Amino acid sequence: MKKFKVGIIGCTGMVGQRFAMIMSRHPWFEVTALAASARSAGRTYQEAVDGRWKMADPLPEQYANMTVFDASADIDKIVDLVDFVFCAVDMKKDEIRALEDLYAKHECPVVSNNSAHRWTPDVPMIIPEVNAAHAEIIPYQRKRLGTTRGFVAVKPNCSIQGYVPALNALRDLGLERAVVCTYQAISGAGKTFREWPEMIDNVIPYIGGEEEKSEQEPLKIWGQIENGVIVPAKAPLITAQCIRVPVTDGHMAAVFATFQKKMSCEEMIERWRNYRGRAQELDLPSAPKQFLHYFEEDNRPQTKLDRDLENGMAVTLGRLRPDTQYDVKFVGLAHNTMRGAAGGAVLTAELLCAEGFMD
């Protein structure tokens, strides 16, 4: 695979910083442009994140003296330096859509961590192990945008990563209904405990917009391409509650599900352990060797112990058992800034590169 030159748009926030960390050691991708808001533009990256660096590891040296571009005003300069960009900006949704479309219309593909384009009908929202085939919508999007190379692809919400892949492995059983309660880390809000001491010894039973995303985004992921758009699936019916809990990283989900066809818990676990997606078939650099890990212990998965499994790119599952109201219930866990944010977007970019969409 050739080396791709990439830009990080929104490089100063927590997800942008995570992108920088991943790219500092990536075998395919080399960061050649960093961009943020006008208030950071013109400063070195080290200066721009001074006092704001949120990663456990220090700022990679290769980025320290790179000058940060203005994500909007310097678009012509940025697209000349890169093959594609990752986007993780903190702006209003209509402004994000306009910015991402502008990069695409400059013939620069965009792989976005943002939610702004997730419901644009011809924008693929991809979990590479679940719906890699949705990349086939890109030619239709290019026709709409009037581009040859440019397009936008998005990563789905972090809250769904711990349960959608597990349910996908069982979906052919006729998944009818699911109830999901997620317990989400503070990094999902771009925060650390130093910045958000109110979260210490605290639980907040509301996260704006998360429940709607948790209920609706899986249906687009399980949808079909028809007449140049992605038509969401009509089933299953999903209801969700999303709760902020005092942990640094890792979103956990408690899931209840009912199916038309019955299968033993032992057979379901075997399916999970043998599950492979397109990312594993292509042996992509960020793909976990085993995507779904099941723990037999009653007290696993645990956020602190298991969120970093396979570099934070695996999904860990446990406590599968029959339920009195639904067929089964189980627990899932995913690292929200790796699998659920920057890492998931990087894996999607690897998929798009390997399938020729970045050529």
Side-chain angles (χ1 to χ4, degrees):
M1 180 64 64
K2 75 170 190 177
K3 200 84 167 179
F4 289 85
K5 297 179 290 184
V6 304
I8 304 173
I9 312 303
C11 64
T12 56
M14 179 175 278
V15 175
Q17 293 176 23
R18 180 68 76 181
F19 274 124
M21 293 300 303
I22 296 171
M23 238 67 67
S24 69
R25 52 186 180 271
H26 198 280
W28 293 3
F29 303 153
E30 177 188 2
V31 174
T32 54
L34 296 169
S37 64
R39 63 180 175 272
S40 295
R43 306 167 73 185
T44 67
Y45 191 40
Q46 188 164 34
E47 292 170 340
V49 298
D50 185 38
R52 302 168 58 194
W53 187 252
K54 302 179 182 185
M55 300 293 103
D57 294 326
L59 173 70
E61 290 184 7
Q62 66 259 47
Y63 307 137
N65 294 317
M66 289 180 65
T67 300
V68 177
F69 289 105
D70 184 316
S72 299
D74 294 330
I75 187 168
D76 290 320
K77 297 177 184 177
I78 294 166
V79 299
D80 283 343
L81 294 172
V82 302
D83 295 310
F84 67 91
V85 297
F86 293 105
C87 190
V89 295
D90 183 10
M91 300 164 62
K92 295 178 181 177
K93 285 192 178 183
D94 58 342
E95 295 173 342
I96 294 172
R97 281 192 292 269
L99 183 67
E100 292 178 346
D101 282 348
L102 190 58
Y103 274 87
K105 289 177 179 179
H106 276 70
E107 299 294 358
C108 179
V110 178
V111 180
S112 179
N113 185 74
N114 300 108
S115 64
H117 260 308
R118 288 180 189 158
W119 285 99
T120 304
D122 58 9
V123 170
M125 180 169 62
I126 295 174
I127 299 176
E129 291 90 347
V130 175
N131 65 328
H134 279 194
E136 299 301 327
I137 198 72
I138 289 173
Y140 295 98
Q141 185 193 148
R142 284 173 169 159
K143 184 177 180 179
R144 173 178 62 84
L145 294 173
T147 61
T148 302
R149 284 192 75 245
F151 65 88
V152 179
V154 297
K155 176 210 65 63
N157 196 49
C158 53
S159 66
I160 74 173
Q161 309 288 329
Y163 61 91
V164 165
L167 292 175
N168 190 67
L170 308 172
R171 194 162 163 259
D172 66 326
L173 298 177
L175 177 59
E176 292 183 323
R177 294 180 295 142
V179 174
V180 182
C181 294
T182 62
Y183 305 91
Q184 301 185 202
I186 66 170
S187 57
K191 303 286 188 179
T192 64
F193 284 117
R194 177 176 57 82
E195 300 167 308
W196 201 4
E198 298 85 357
M199 272 307 304
I200 298 172
D201 192 32
N202 195 20
V203 169
I204 298 176
Y206 173 73
I207 307 172
E210 289 292 288
E211 290 168 359
E212 295 84 355
K213 294 172 186 174
S214 298
E215 294 169 353
Q216 296 169 14
E217 288 188 14
L219 299 179
K220 182 174 180 180
I221 289 169
W222 286 324
Q224 299 292 324
I225 297 175
E226 297 178 15
N227 300 317
V229 298
I230 299 169
V231 179
K234 290 183 170 56
L237 300 175
I238 302 174
T239 185
Q241 287 200 107
C242 298
I243 299 169
R244 188 74 71 196
V245 295
V247 298
T248 54
D249 297 303
H251 289 355
M252 185 171 284
V255 185
F256 303 77
T258 292
F259 304 89
Q260 293 174 352
K261 303 174 186 176
K262 306 309 174 187
M263 177 178 281
S264 71
C265 289
E266 291 74 19
E267 291 173 304
M268 290 181 178
I269 291 168
E270 191 65 18
R271 278 199 180 197
W272 286 342
R273 287 176 168 157
N274 293 326
Y275 185 91
R276 288 171 56 84
R278 187 62 176 153
Q280 286 71 38
E281 292 172 4
L282 293 170
D283 195 23
L284 300 176
S286 298
K289 299 302 180 186
Q290 184 174 334
F291 182 32
L292 306 178
H293 290 250
Y294 185 82
F295 288 99
E296 299 286 352
E297 299 92 332
D298 287 337
N299 64 347
R300 301 285 286 278
Q302 292 182 25
T303 302
K304 192 171 184 178
L305 294 180
D306 302 314
R307 63 191 170 202
D308 293 319
L309 192 63
E310 300 222 33
N311 296 315
M313 292 299 290
V315 173
T316 52
L317 306 167
R319 303 207 68 215
L320 177 68
R321 59 214 190 275
D323 182 63
T324 57
Q325 305 296 316
Y326 290 75
D327 288 342
V328 295
K329 52 190 172 185
F330 64 91
V331 173
L333 172 70
H335 194 302
N336 58 295
T337 67
M338 284 298 296
R339 167 56 70 167
V346 170
L347 184 60
T348 295
E350 293 169 1
L351 171 74
L352 295 171
C353 289
E355 301 283 30
F357 291 99
M358 299 297 195
D359 293 342

